[in-house]
Amino acid sequence: MNNEVRVRIAPSPSGYLHVGTARMAVCNWLFARHNQGKFILRIEDTDIARSDPQMVSIILESLKWLGLDWDEGPYYQSQRMEFYKKYAQILLERNKAYYCYCTPETLKRKREEAAAKKINWVYDRTCLKLSEQEKAELERKNTPKAVRIFIPEGKTSFYDIVYKELKKENKELDDFVILRSDFRPTYNFACVVDDLEMRISHVIRGNDHIANTFKQVLLYRALGAEMPSFAHLPLNLAMDRQKISKRKGAVAITDYRDAGFLPEVMVNFLAISGWSPKDEREIMTREELIQSFSLEGVSQANPIFDMQKLEWMNGEYIRAYDNEKLLDLIIPFLFKENLITEDMAKKKREWLLKYIQLFKERAKTLKEFAEKGKYLFTFDYQYEPKAVSKTFNSIEVADRLNKFAERISSLDDFKKEKIEDALRKLAEELKIEPAQLIHAVRLATTGVSGGPPLFDILELLGKEEVIKRIQKAVEFIQTR
RNA sequence: GUCCCCAUCGUCUAGUCCGGUCCAGGACACCGCCCUUUCACGGCGGUAACACGAGUUCAAAUCUCGUUGGGGACGCCA
């Protein structure tokens, strides 16, 4: 099984699961599932200072939430140090790498000097030119040393599934460090060693890694190893065409979860951002995505992350969702807003299902259920100022509301049809448009001017509550 | 400063490999109409793009070159 598809997602635990990383995870996962391959999770935590174990659990949680199950791992680079040492040793023995005794301070100074003169800096190979005597002397003094790869002359090229043939002159590259003076590997080296050891068949990652890939190809060559296939995917950008960052809105996948987006929407949306199935489909099930996904269909230009389209898609999914399942997803949001108690969640399930049905066509996110329908859960709602001046514009309105309250108090069966009958009849008697009364009642009982059909709302509120609310409004109008 | 990549409606894209079927198709957003007590949903319709300039060709969104614009990378970060 040498041609088994094995892909990986390799987040670094220096932050939450970024949407960009999540998109890469989605593409890798879809590619693995499409080809009946393996999806491997590897945590790139060689930078101890910037790695946080707590972040690891958030990343795992985020991947699970998205439903991107992995077949192997998580592997931790911090626990694989012997591999990196072993491979570095091989390169050293074959003279493909050499020790560098330069201090980071010296290198930084040289780099800055070069920048000041506006010249391109590559490592000047100071330590490659060291004589045996000089080396012995440095060794005797126990000078810290890093390991650098030796970049040969020539050019390096590789075939990218998305970008086709990519090449670069080796002189543009420098002898980069592969092992730090404390023996920890650098990113490019650890990445190659692990991809090799894990028998990764396809490296699918962001196009910001193209420059790294040249270095990695050189590493594979130096090791005499066979290379995986590469596919660099375009990067999602924020609306201003810059990289998505915290300042520009939600970056962590958990932020989207907390804002009320469905995991299947995130997967669907992330999948079709930068990739298209080539037909007119956009909303696709997980199975359809797996079935149609291919790296050949990935575009080369960086797509902008379109929040409005994400919201639209979330709304589409919500509308298509089964009410029972939807309710279970919404309940946590109701808790968070303190709209219901555990007890109510159990006992008022039927009522909550009706409420869900009413707001289903109006919500773009799960969170909106808790926001738009808030007035159903609390008596402590405010009247929209604009609607007040438009609808509660005379004392007459208070009289009409009182009359309506009287009418409904005599209703035995507080069902929407009956309520509607009562209201229309009253409007006729008062010689006003039913709409006029409807708007007044809506504002009185909900505090807002729009929303689901009024009679459904009233039925849901119940007779006593509606009457109480009308009284509240009447008092409000009278004291204006 | 050096290098790499990209370029179709405001946004995501189809078409580009294998030039003619494209006075460029779909979706989001926007606008209008219908439905309607409202807000939505839904239905119908509309505005809107081949970055620019050369070249090749009977014919170019599609091929070539240049310009411009955008993105990315240049660490003992990942």
Side-chain angles (χ1 to χ4, degrees):
Chain A
M1 282 304 279
N2 272 341
N3 44 19
E4 183 194 19
V5 164
R6 293 171 62 83
V7 297
R8 83 302 196 274
I9 180 72
S12 77
S14 55
Y16 298 89
L17 186 68
H18 189 281
V19 277
T21 315
R23 187 164 74 93
M24 294 309 152
V26 165
C27 293
N28 273 282
W29 183 84
L30 287 173
F31 185 75
R33 295 291 168 260
H34 179 90
N35 294 290
Q36 285 94 41
K38 295 278 190 291
F39 177 58
I40 296 158
L41 174 58
R42 180 170 82 215
I43 305 294
E44 309 218 317
D45 57 350
T46 55
D47 187 358
I48 306 155
R50 298 209 308 182
S51 294
D52 180 349
Q54 218 192 333
M55 290 305 169
V56 174
S57 60
I58 290 172
I59 288 167
L60 300 191
E61 190 192 315
S62 299
L63 287 169
K64 282 182 201 159
W65 180 72
L66 289 169
L68 306 179
D69 52 325
W70 55 93
D71 306 297
E72 284 180 32
Y75 294 108
Y76 292 85
Q77 288 191 324
S78 58
Q79 291 166 14
R80 301 169 59 81
M81 293 303 167
E82 72 273 24
F83 288 109
Y84 313 127
K85 271 185 220 167
K86 188 180 98 187
Y87 278 84
Q89 203 53 49
I90 292 172
L91 290 174
L92 248 10
E93 279 163 16
R94 294 184 190 164
N95 273 325
K96 306 275 190 185
Y98 60 94
Y99 287 117
C100 173
Y101 302 87
C102 299
T103 64
E105 293 70 38
T106 311
L107 295 169
K108 190 174 175 230
R109 205 198 65 231
K110 288 186 179 178
R111 232 191 318 269
E112 281 167 0
E113 281 171 8
K117 285 189 221 151
K118 299 204 172 189
I119 49 176
N120 200 25
W121 157 263
V122 288
Y123 179 60
D124 55 13
R125 290 186 163 167
T126 307
C127 293
L128 184 66
K129 297 168 199 153
L130 253 30
S131 69
E132 289 306 315
Q133 262 176 322
E134 287 169 315
K135 277 189 230 175
E137 176 65 14
L138 286 158
E139 283 295 330
R140 200 181 54 75
K141 284 195 242 162
N142 254 327
T143 316
K145 60 187 186 229
V147 178
R148 283 183 188 274
I149 179 80
F150 174 80
I151 304 280
E153 285 183 12
K155 58 179 91 166
T156 303
S157 67
F158 66 93
Y159 180 81
D160 186 279
I161 298 170
V162 175
Y163 290 97
K164 309 307 166 195
E165 208 62 34
L166 260 18
K167 31 179 168 315
K168 188 165 214 157
E169 296 288 335
N170 288 1
K171 61 172 185 268
E172 299 293 340
L173 270 9
D174 70 352
D175 293 350
F176 58 95
V177 170
I178 57 173
L179 223 53
R180 301 176 172 95
S181 47
D182 61 2
F183 305 113
R184 283 159 47 233
T186 55
Y187 165 74
N188 281 305
F189 189 57
C191 185
V192 165
V193 170
D194 283 338
D195 286 343
L196 230 33
E197 280 291 323
M198 293 174 190
R199 300 180 346 268
I200 298 301
S201 63
H202 295 74
V203 171
I204 304 168
R205 71 211 331 180
N207 67 14
D208 52 336
H209 281 290
I210 289 177
N212 285 323
T213 304
F214 290 106
K215 296 180 179 180
Q216 296 187 9
V217 166
L218 253 1
L219 245 17
Y220 283 106
R221 297 248 166 85
L223 287 164
E226 207 180 307
M227 288 191 291
S229 298
F230 293 102
H232 290 89
L233 273 36
L235 236 45
N236 270 123
L237 303 177
M239 273 304 180
D240 57 359
R241 294 199 174 275
Q242 305 288 110
K243 257 185 164 180
I244 296 174
S245 69
K246 281 199 175 133
R247 297 183 64 94
K248 292 154 198 154
V251 283
I253 211 72
T254 41
D255 292 340
Y256 291 88
R257 179 196 62 196
D258 297 345
F261 289 95
L262 295 160
E264 49 271 60
V265 171
M266 296 310 293
V267 170
N268 189 163
F269 182 76
L270 259 14
I272 64 158
S273 170
W275 169 79
S276 148
K278 309 297 177 202
D279 47 36
E280 314 279 65
R281 285 179 302 163
E282 290 196 309
I283 294 192
M284 286 186 274
T285 63
R286 210 163 272 251
E287 289 64 39
E288 288 174 319
L289 287 169
I290 291 171
Q291 231 256 316
S292 336
F293 188 78
S294 93
L295 294 171
E296 280 74 21
V298 173
S299 70
Q300 301 171 315
N302 296 337
I304 287 171
F305 190 92
D306 188 348
M307 200 58 188
Q308 279 183 320
K309 192 151 184 173
L310 209 217
E311 287 178 348
W312 160 78
M313 189 179 277
N314 207 51
E316 289 286 308
Y317 271 75
I318 285 175
R319 267 166 256 136
Y321 237 83
D322 170 70
N323 283 2
E324 288 278 353
K325 285 183 195 156
L326 192 56
L327 178 55
D328 289 332
L329 296 174
I330 290 165
I331 283 173
F333 289 91
L334 297 177
F335 283 149
K336 213 176 292 169
E337 296 290 315
N338 282 319
L339 299 182
I340 57 167
T341 60
E342 297 267 359
D343 194 48
M344 279 167 72
K346 285 188 199 116
K347 290 188 181 154
K348 290 185 74 180
R349 199 166 170 89
E350 283 308 310
W351 186 90
L352 287 168
L353 283 169
K354 285 184 195 161
Y355 145 75
I356 297 276
Q357 180 58 39
L358 287 184
F359 284 89
K360 207 177 177 178
E361 284 176 358
R362 274 154 265 262
K364 288 194 169 74
T365 63
L366 299 175
K367 199 179 181 183
E368 281 180 17
F369 279 87
E371 291 163 352
K372 296 195 166 175
K374 199 167 183 170
Y375 54 77
L376 279 172
F377 298 88
T378 173
F379 186 74
D380 190 28
Y381 55 92
Q382 303 293 312
Y383 304 106
E384 233 172 57
K386 257 180 90 177
V388 167
S389 53
K390 198 180 163 200
T391 308
F392 288 172
N393 51 8
S394 74
I395 201 76
E396 237 189 320
V397 176
D399 292 337
R400 289 174 190 160
L401 285 172
N402 267 330
K403 287 205 176 83
F404 178 66
E406 267 169 47
R407 291 296 168 97
I408 60 172
S409 65
S410 60
L411 287 177
D412 301 323
D413 192 18
F414 202 66
K415 289 279 175 256
K416 59 182 179 184
E417 295 81 9
K418 307 268 179 174
I419 307 168
E420 182 162 4
D421 274 352
L423 183 138
R424 291 195 185 273
K425 215 172 282 172
L426 177 62
E428 206 180 316
E429 287 169 28
L430 293 171
K431 294 186 173 26
I432 56 170
E433 284 297 315
Q436 247 187 299
L437 193 51
I438 287 171
H439 290 147
V441 173
R442 179 187 293 280
L443 184 60
T445 53
T446 68
V448 294
S449 56
L454 177 69
F455 304 107
D456 289 277
I457 295 287
L458 297 182
E459 182 182 319
L460 215 46
L461 281 169
K463 188 159 89 176
E464 308 308 317
E465 182 69 16
V466 170
I467 291 171
K468 252 172 71 189
R469 290 187 177 204
I470 288 177
Q471 280 163 357
K472 167 178 163 172
V474 167
E475 277 167 39
F476 174 82
I477 297 167
Q478 286 167 344
T479 55
R480 263 189 94 210

